[in-house]
Amino acid sequence: MNSIISSSFYILSVLLLLSASLTTSSPIQETLIQCLSQHSIPLSTIYTPNNSSFSSVLESRAQNPRFTEPSVPKPELIFTPLSESHVQAAVICSKELGIHMRLRSGGHDFEAVSYVSEFESPFIVLDLTNLRSISVNINDNSACVQVGATLGELYYRIAEKSNVHGFPAGVCPTVGVGGHITGGGYGVMLRKYGLAADNVIDARIVDVNGRVLDRAAMGEDLFWAIRGGGGGSFGVILSWKIKLVAVPETITVFTVFKTLEQGDTKLLYRWQQVADKLDKDLHIRVLMNMTNTSTSERSVTTAYDGFFLGGADRLIQLMQESFPELGLTREDCIETSWIRSVLHSSSIPLDTSLVFASPKLLLQRITATDSFEGKADFVTEPIPETALEELRKRLLEEDNPSIVWTAYGGKMGEIPEYETPFPHRKGTMFKFHYFSYWQKGDKNVAQHISWVRSLYNYMTPYVSKFPRGAYVNYRDLDLGVNQKGNTSVTEASVWGTKYYKGNFQRLVRVKTEVDPENFFRHEQSIPPLQLKR
Ligand SMILES: Cc1cc2nc3c(=O)[nH]c(=O)nc-3n(C[C@H](O)[C@H](O)[C@H](O)COP(=O)(O)OP(=O)(O)OC[C@H]3O[C@@H](n4cnc5c(N)ncnc54)[C@H](O)[C@@H]3O)c2cc1C
Ligand SMILES: *[C@@H]1O[C@H](CO)[C@@H](O)[C@H](O)[C@H]1NC(C)=O
Ligand SMILES: *[C@@H]1O[C@H](CO)[C@@H](O)[C@H](O)[C@H]1NC(C)=O
Ligand SMILES: *[C@@H]1O[C@H](CO)[C@@H](O)[C@H](O)[C@H]1NC(C)=O
Ligand SMILES: *[C@@H]1O[C@H](CO)[C@@H](O)[C@H](O)[C@H]1NC(C)=O
Ligand SMILES: *[C@@H]1O[C@H](CO)[C@@H](O)[C@H](O)[C@H]1NC(C)=O
């Protein structure tokens, strides 16, 4: 009896739910789907919340799970174009209908502005994941890569064709080529070859009028702006033509672990003095985290993680000359190919055995399971030992903290500040970024976020000033957000000059030129000057 009641109740609820979902389609969905179908867009590329795949499509490229919690606003629709003309249709229809659109390639934005709109709703997401073709041309040292490809896929396809070519972009293989390159993009080859954005030859972009433009058609100002000016401000980038760089057949990697005991900050201080002055072929970053040694004891681990464009013998010689304090030995060194070194650099915590794993791992599209809060700083003079000691103490106070020190110098210091929108070049010794990670269900989220904020405040005297530098690919909405609707350039320049210094004003001029009505916008997009009507 009971089961009959409950099963008919079940059927009734299902019917109610179904009729609700059939009748709740919003005007936005209807008008947009209608417009898209007039442009011959297949319905199979459109997901509304009533579609059973909607959540998985939204979440599989949401790389900071705190932004998929139920309380966070969701898009009315996700459109996953299969071709350039589909992207054109998306822009034309959304603009015509006044629908707010967010752009997503790999979904790694620290603040999720690519798939969450906190203060403008309703909104839709243009998810470029299906635009992911890669063609590598070894004869002219170039590759064309669509924005939905990941860095891992790009590296893999390059290595498939050649073992002496590479590309100097980020260390995380799941990062999307779209957002990454337009925000700068750095990895362990930055001291030799600069940023990913420094190695772009051409690009294709859909502008606010739905036109596809290449470098010649968009002009040098817009081409300048999209190489470091950050995503979501100027148009929908479709693909990049990039310049491949030379890598030797033999790369050497190493990781030297040190536990940071009280009063034992000398080596880290020494690293600060030498890291940006080493041979350009060598990059040594420092990764710090906290380890629970027992239920009551904690210690800080520092890993000196090296990447060298050459063999171990030359590396050992260089290290003896410039950084003997680390005590690097031949046994610490692993000689490998560039593609396998990518596997090594990608893993935090570091696992040297990855060097021996299959590069096919780079093709995996993994969704992050840990949420995080992160911030970045640029450092222009060594942080004193007393402050290093305080850092050590603070790391011991947080559950899953991490600090990464990335050496600058070399090529980074040779590229003029105004050559691309990314300005943190000459004089920057290293970049310093701090994170706290947590898992779903963690009760102390507010505490983790405030740990990061408090550390950022503590670091103020020791990092770049006037302005205090920031990196747009490590987006931080604490630095300031645009207002709803129109935004004043003066207010935006507070966060804008942190990311771009003097280049911010030129970005505003380009924005005013190419998108005066501010169609492409988010919490931290470049605002146009208010035009008199
Ligand atoms: C785990 C992890 C590791 C990382 N490692 C590195 C690293 O080693 N080096 C480094 O430099 N950075 C690194 N980053 C930062 C990363 O480069 C940025 O988050 C980058 O913007 C991500 O690009 P995406 O396409 O994956 O992200 P998305 O979230 O899709 O996009 C980021 C921004 O670009 C916009 N955008 C996306 N696609 C387009 C497009 N086609 N046209 C115009 N605008 C677009 C979005 O609207 C958003 O504003 C890392 C981030 C994470 C989470
Ligand atoms: C889902 O919503 C869309 C758009 O409103 C509508 O066209 C479609 O019929 C709905 N599908 C289902 C299965 O409810
Ligand atoms: C969900 O969307 C996919 C792709 O558009 C489609 O194949 C499927 O039929 C849709 N399912 C529902 C229940 O609407
Ligand atoms: C911390 O770093 C050490 C050394 O890099 C590593 O062995 C350990 O797994 C890391 N711990 C976490 C929680 O990441
Ligand atoms: C350390 O232990 C705490 C619980 O005591 C736990 O929450 C945290 O995740 C652990 N951190 C690491 C890095 O293992
Ligand atoms: C926004 O627009 C309104 C009306 O045009 C204007 O009064 C206001 O000053 C603008 N705000 C900013 C921040 O520009």
PDB file of all heavy atoms in Angstrom, residues 122 190 250 321 336 358 378 412 424 441 471 481 498 506 513:
ATOM      1  N   PRO A 122      20.112  38.139 -16.366  1.00  0.00           N
ATOM      2  CA  PRO A 122      20.635  36.832 -16.758  1.00  0.00           C
ATOM      3  C   PRO A 122      21.852  36.945 -17.679  1.00  0.00           C
ATOM      4  O   PRO A 122      22.133  38.015 -18.200  1.00  0.00           O
ATOM      5  CB  PRO A 122      19.456  36.224 -17.519  1.00  0.00           C
ATOM      6  CG  PRO A 122      18.711  37.394 -18.065  1.00  0.00           C
ATOM      7  CD  PRO A 122      18.879  38.496 -17.068  1.00  0.00           C
ATOM      8  N   LEU A 190      60.320  31.029 -19.389  1.00  0.00           N
ATOM      9  CA  LEU A 190      60.148  32.485 -19.537  1.00  0.00           C
ATOM     10  C   LEU A 190      61.471  33.251 -19.530  1.00  0.00           C
ATOM     11  O   LEU A 190      61.569  34.293 -20.172  1.00  0.00           O
ATOM     12  CB  LEU A 190      59.181  33.035 -18.470  1.00  0.00           C
ATOM     13  CG  LEU A 190      59.673  33.439 -17.087  1.00  0.00           C
ATOM     14  CD1 LEU A 190      58.594  34.219 -16.354  1.00  0.00           C
ATOM     15  CD2 LEU A 190      60.061  32.229 -16.269  1.00  0.00           C
ATOM     16  N   THR A 250      68.110  17.262 -25.261  1.00  0.00           N
ATOM     17  CA  THR A 250      68.214  16.882 -23.850  1.00  0.00           C
ATOM     18  C   THR A 250      67.900  18.067 -22.945  1.00  0.00           C
ATOM     19  O   THR A 250      68.533  19.124 -23.036  1.00  0.00           O
ATOM     20  CB  THR A 250      69.637  16.371 -23.526  1.00  0.00           C
ATOM     21  OG1 THR A 250      69.928  15.301 -24.414  1.00  0.00           O
ATOM     22  CG2 THR A 250      69.734  15.901 -22.085  1.00  0.00           C
ATOM     23  N   GLU A 321      79.229  27.373 -10.362  1.00  0.00           N
ATOM     24  CA  GLU A 321      79.654  28.768 -10.495  1.00  0.00           C
ATOM     25  C   GLU A 321      78.678  29.739  -9.820  1.00  0.00           C
ATOM     26  O   GLU A 321      79.080  30.701  -9.192  1.00  0.00           O
ATOM     27  CB  GLU A 321      79.752  29.157 -11.980  1.00  0.00           C
ATOM     28  CG  GLU A 321      80.955  28.572 -12.684  1.00  0.00           C
ATOM     29  CD  GLU A 321      80.760  28.538 -14.203  1.00  0.00           C
ATOM     30  OE1 GLU A 321      79.860  29.244 -14.717  1.00  0.00           O
ATOM     31  OE2 GLU A 321      81.504  27.781 -14.862  1.00  0.00           O
ATOM     32  N   THR A 336      66.145  14.324 -19.827  1.00  0.00           N
ATOM     33  CA  THR A 336      64.945  13.823 -20.491  1.00  0.00           C
ATOM     34  C   THR A 336      64.643  14.677 -21.720  1.00  0.00           C
ATOM     35  O   THR A 336      65.421  15.574 -22.069  1.00  0.00           O
ATOM     36  CB  THR A 336      63.770  13.798 -19.478  1.00  0.00           C
ATOM     37  OG1 THR A 336      62.639  13.169 -20.074  1.00  0.00           O
ATOM     38  CG2 THR A 336      63.366  15.198 -19.033  1.00  0.00           C
ATOM     39  N   SER A 358      53.807   8.397 -19.639  1.00  0.00           N
ATOM     40  CA  SER A 358      53.522   8.657 -21.052  1.00  0.00           C
ATOM     41  C   SER A 358      53.083  10.100 -21.258  1.00  0.00           C
ATOM     42  O   SER A 358      52.199  10.598 -20.567  1.00  0.00           O
ATOM     43  CB  SER A 358      52.405   7.727 -21.531  1.00  0.00           C
ATOM     44  OG  SER A 358      51.930   8.207 -22.767  1.00  0.00           O
ATOM     45  N   PHE A 378      54.745  40.868  -7.389  1.00  0.00           N
ATOM     46  CA  PHE A 378      56.051  40.920  -8.033  1.00  0.00           C
ATOM     47  C   PHE A 378      57.040  41.511  -7.043  1.00  0.00           C
ATOM     48  O   PHE A 378      56.703  42.434  -6.307  1.00  0.00           O
ATOM     49  CB  PHE A 378      55.971  41.760  -9.311  1.00  0.00           C
ATOM     50  CG  PHE A 378      55.113  41.114 -10.359  1.00  0.00           C
ATOM     51  CD1 PHE A 378      53.762  41.417 -10.461  1.00  0.00           C
ATOM     52  CD2 PHE A 378      55.635  40.159 -11.212  1.00  0.00           C
ATOM     53  CE1 PHE A 378      52.960  40.794 -11.410  1.00  0.00           C
ATOM     54  CE2 PHE A 378      54.840  39.529 -12.163  1.00  0.00           C
ATOM     55  CZ  PHE A 378      53.498  39.852 -12.264  1.00  0.00           C
ATOM     56  N   MET A 412      62.857  38.110 -19.940  1.00  0.00           N
ATOM     57  CA  MET A 412      61.772  38.909 -19.362  1.00  0.00           C
ATOM     58  C   MET A 412      62.207  40.356 -19.124  1.00  0.00           C
ATOM     59  O   MET A 412      61.406  41.280 -19.270  1.00  0.00           O
ATOM     60  CB  MET A 412      61.291  38.306 -18.042  1.00  0.00           C
ATOM     61  CG  MET A 412      60.492  37.040 -18.194  1.00  0.00           C
ATOM     62  SD  MET A 412      59.020  37.262 -19.225  1.00  0.00           S
ATOM     63  CE  MET A 412      57.928  38.137 -18.115  1.00  0.00           C
ATOM     64  N   HIS A 424      55.374  43.830 -16.316  1.00  0.00           N
ATOM     65  CA  HIS A 424      56.283  43.525 -15.194  1.00  0.00           C
ATOM     66  C   HIS A 424      57.559  42.873 -15.726  1.00  0.00           C
ATOM     67  O   HIS A 424      57.700  41.646 -15.699  1.00  0.00           O
ATOM     68  CB  HIS A 424      55.577  42.644 -14.182  1.00  0.00           C
ATOM     69  CG  HIS A 424      54.217  43.146 -13.821  1.00  0.00           C
ATOM     70  ND1 HIS A 424      54.037  44.302 -13.090  1.00  0.00           N
ATOM     71  CD2 HIS A 424      52.978  42.694 -14.136  1.00  0.00           C
ATOM     72  CE1 HIS A 424      52.730  44.523 -12.948  1.00  0.00           C
ATOM     73  NE2 HIS A 424      52.077  43.572 -13.568  1.00  0.00           N
ATOM     74  N   GLY A 441      32.870  20.783   0.880  1.00  0.00           N
ATOM     75  CA  GLY A 441      32.352  20.499   2.211  1.00  0.00           C
ATOM     76  C   GLY A 441      33.179  21.100   3.341  1.00  0.00           C
ATOM     77  O   GLY A 441      32.786  21.010   4.499  1.00  0.00           O
ATOM     78  N   TYR A 471      48.937  40.154 -11.707  1.00  0.00           N
ATOM     79  CA  TYR A 471      48.991  39.418 -12.974  1.00  0.00           C
ATOM     80  C   TYR A 471      47.563  39.054 -13.365  1.00  0.00           C
ATOM     81  O   TYR A 471      46.881  38.357 -12.622  1.00  0.00           O
ATOM     82  CB  TYR A 471      49.848  38.167 -12.758  1.00  0.00           C
ATOM     83  CG  TYR A 471      49.945  37.220 -13.937  1.00  0.00           C
ATOM     84  CD1 TYR A 471      50.012  37.688 -15.243  1.00  0.00           C
ATOM     85  CD2 TYR A 471      50.006  35.848 -13.727  1.00  0.00           C
ATOM     86  CE1 TYR A 471      50.119  36.811 -16.309  1.00  0.00           C
ATOM     87  CE2 TYR A 471      50.118  34.960 -14.786  1.00  0.00           C
ATOM     88  CZ  TYR A 471      50.171  35.443 -16.074  1.00  0.00           C
ATOM     89  OH  TYR A 471      50.277  34.561 -17.125  1.00  0.00           O
ATOM     90  N   VAL A 481      36.433  45.998  -8.745  1.00  0.00           N
ATOM     91  CA  VAL A 481      35.571  45.486  -9.817  1.00  0.00           C
ATOM     92  C   VAL A 481      34.853  46.631 -10.505  1.00  0.00           C
ATOM     93  O   VAL A 481      34.645  47.693  -9.924  1.00  0.00           O
ATOM     94  CB  VAL A 481      34.513  44.479  -9.292  1.00  0.00           C
ATOM     95  CG1 VAL A 481      35.160  43.210  -8.806  1.00  0.00           C
ATOM     96  CG2 VAL A 481      33.655  45.096  -8.210  1.00  0.00           C
ATOM     97  N   LYS A 498      47.507  48.118 -11.712  1.00  0.00           N
ATOM     98  CA  LYS A 498      48.232  47.022 -11.058  1.00  0.00           C
ATOM     99  C   LYS A 498      48.572  45.925 -12.073  1.00  0.00           C
ATOM    100  O   LYS A 498      49.666  45.383 -12.078  1.00  0.00           O
ATOM    101  CB  LYS A 498      47.402  46.433  -9.926  1.00  0.00           C
ATOM    102  CG  LYS A 498      47.202  47.378  -8.748  1.00  0.00           C
ATOM    103  CD  LYS A 498      46.497  46.629  -7.642  1.00  0.00           C
ATOM    104  CE  LYS A 498      46.024  47.456  -6.472  1.00  0.00           C
ATOM    105  NZ  LYS A 498      46.852  48.501  -5.986  1.00  0.00           N
ATOM    106  N   ARG A 506      46.343  52.794 -22.744  1.00  0.00           N
ATOM    107  CA  ARG A 506      46.277  52.382 -24.155  1.00  0.00           C
ATOM    108  C   ARG A 506      45.216  51.295 -24.351  1.00  0.00           C
ATOM    109  O   ARG A 506      44.515  51.288 -25.364  1.00  0.00           O
ATOM    110  CB  ARG A 506      47.656  51.901 -24.632  1.00  0.00           C
ATOM    111  CG  ARG A 506      47.655  51.517 -26.104  1.00  0.00           C
ATOM    112  CD  ARG A 506      49.045  51.266 -26.660  1.00  0.00           C
ATOM    113  NE  ARG A 506      48.974  50.781 -28.039  1.00  0.00           N
ATOM    114  CZ  ARG A 506      49.965  50.167 -28.666  1.00  0.00           C
ATOM    115  NH1 ARG A 506      51.133  49.987 -28.056  1.00  0.00           N
ATOM    116  NH2 ARG A 506      49.828  49.761 -29.900  1.00  0.00           N
ATOM    117  N   GLU A 513      37.830  52.181 -29.083  1.00  0.00           N
ATOM    118  CA  GLU A 513      37.829  52.077 -30.539  1.00  0.00           C
ATOM    119  C   GLU A 513      37.021  50.867 -31.027  1.00  0.00           C
ATOM    120  O   GLU A 513      36.196  50.987 -31.920  1.00  0.00           O
ATOM    121  CB  GLU A 513      39.298  51.937 -30.985  1.00  0.00           C
ATOM    122  CG  GLU A 513      39.560  51.943 -32.454  1.00  0.00           C
ATOM    123  CD  GLU A 513      39.557  53.368 -33.009  1.00  0.00           C
ATOM    124  OE1 GLU A 513      39.654  54.336 -32.243  1.00  0.00           O
ATOM    125  OE2 GLU A 513      39.451  53.456 -34.237  1.00  0.00           O
TER     126      GLU A 513
END
